[in-house]
Amino acid sequence: MIHHLRRLGTGLLLVALIAGLTGADTISEVVRPAPVPAGQVRVVALGDSVTSGHNCNCAAFPAMYGGLLQDRTGAAVRVDNLGVSGLDSTGLLQSLDRRNSPTEVATAAANVVLLTIGANDFGGRHDDITSGRCTDSDCVADEFEQLTTNIDRIFDRIHALRHGQPTTILATGYWNVFKDGDVARRAYTAPGRAAADRLTVRTNDAIAAAAQADDATYVDIYTPFEDNADDITTLLASDGDHPNAAGHALIARLLLAATPRQLATSPHQGG
């Protein structure tokens, strides 16, 4: 049975309280991941509204992925979907830093981490970019620098919480950091759509580079979505901003294809 939990029940893992700890102590000194039960795979999905399944009215890709992984491995798979609509990379990092938060606890317990974050970092520049007023990278330089710093720190924090235990990290990119398909064609100018596409590619490149440096796995979503023979609109919800059921199913299949046949056996994912 696959369990989909947003709140973590007692007994999810053992929280080790070490005498003499102060508020300045690091996460790795506070949370000790409990051993995963024999034969069970624990998956945590961290991210924004794409992860949470916003505006889909369907099972989001983490649940679909868990089902596919269970079918492939024959092992029991437990999925904690902690996607939050509107979350940006700073918010995710703060949640991972917050002692005994659901995000911290679930990540410490998971031997598979799904990560989708970054699009909301540019929300404040949406109108400038999609109108075509901002057509170069200078107008998002500050946001982009913060994003790249945060992604590196998010990977570091995941490993700190895992205390060197084998962990498979699958980090996705985006098909678009803003709207796409028919909705974007009606709402944005042609220069605006081109600027959004350039920002998306640049964001994906940064996520991929951070994943490679961390020995995690980058999962390309941009190419399968944008190269969809039936038009990307068929993969999007009515808002043009989130996947529909078909889009979530595609993401789940891409994640499964990127998952090692044998889950990680070294402190960093490898394989």
Side-chain angles (χ1 to χ4, degrees), residues 212-257:
Q212 182 177 16
D214 185 76
D215 196 26
T217 296
Y218 172 71
V219 181
D220 175 29
I221 288 176
Y222 178 92
T223 302
F225 267 71
E226 294 294 341
D227 288 352
N228 180 47
D230 296 324
D231 185 346
I232 192 173
T233 301
T234 64
L235 298 173
L236 301 178
S238 59
D239 61 4
D241 201 29
H242 298 91
N244 59 16
H248 277 284
L250 176 56
I251 295 172
R253 292 194 301 270
L254 293 168
L255 286 166
L256 183 71

Side-chain angles (χ1 to χ4, degrees), residues 185-199:
R185 285 189 282 270
R186 291 192 299 267
Y188 304 154
T189 65
R193 293 195 302 273
D197 184 72
R198 287 194 296 272
L199 178 58

Side-chain angles (χ1 to χ4, degrees), residues 16 31 49 53-54 64 67 69 81 84-85 116 124 137 143 153-154 159-160 181 191 201 218 233 245 253 255 263 270:
V31 174
S49 56
H54 182 76
M64 294 184 182
L69 185 61
N81 185 349
V84 177
S85 294
T116 302
S137 60
E143 291 86 351
R153 292 181 62 194
I154 287 167
H159 290 299
V201 171
Y218 172 71
T233 301
R253 292 194 301 270
L255 286 166
L263 294 178

Side-chain angles (χ1 to χ4, degrees), residues 176-191:
N176 202 313
V177 295
F178 298 131
K179 299 180 189 298
D180 211 325
D182 289 344
V183 173
R185 285 189 282 270
R186 291 192 299 267
Y188 304 154
T189 65

Side-chain angles (χ1 to χ4, degrees), residues 53-122:
H54 182 76
N55 208 32
C56 180
N57 296 318
C58 68
F61 74 80
M64 294 184 182
Y65 169 79
L68 293 173
L69 185 61
Q70 181 165 295
D71 288 344
R72 192 178 82 175
T73 63
V77 176
R78 175 171 177 165
V79 178
D80 295 313
N81 185 349
L82 300 185
V84 177
S85 294
L87 191 69
D88 61 12
S89 64
T90 297
L92 176 55
L93 187 59
Q94 289 171 345
S95 185
L96 285 166
D97 281 344
R98 192 174 303 121
R99 184 176 300 179
N100 297 332
S101 71
T103 305
E104 182 196 71
V105 173
T107 302
N111 50 341
V112 177
V113 179
L114 310 180
L115 177 65
T116 302
I117 199 70
N120 290 318
D121 288 55
F122 304 102

Side-chain angles (χ1 to χ4, degrees), residues 37-50:
Q40 185 182 81
V41 177
R42 297 288 292 272
V43 178
V44 65
L46 307 176
D48 50 31
S49 56
V50 176

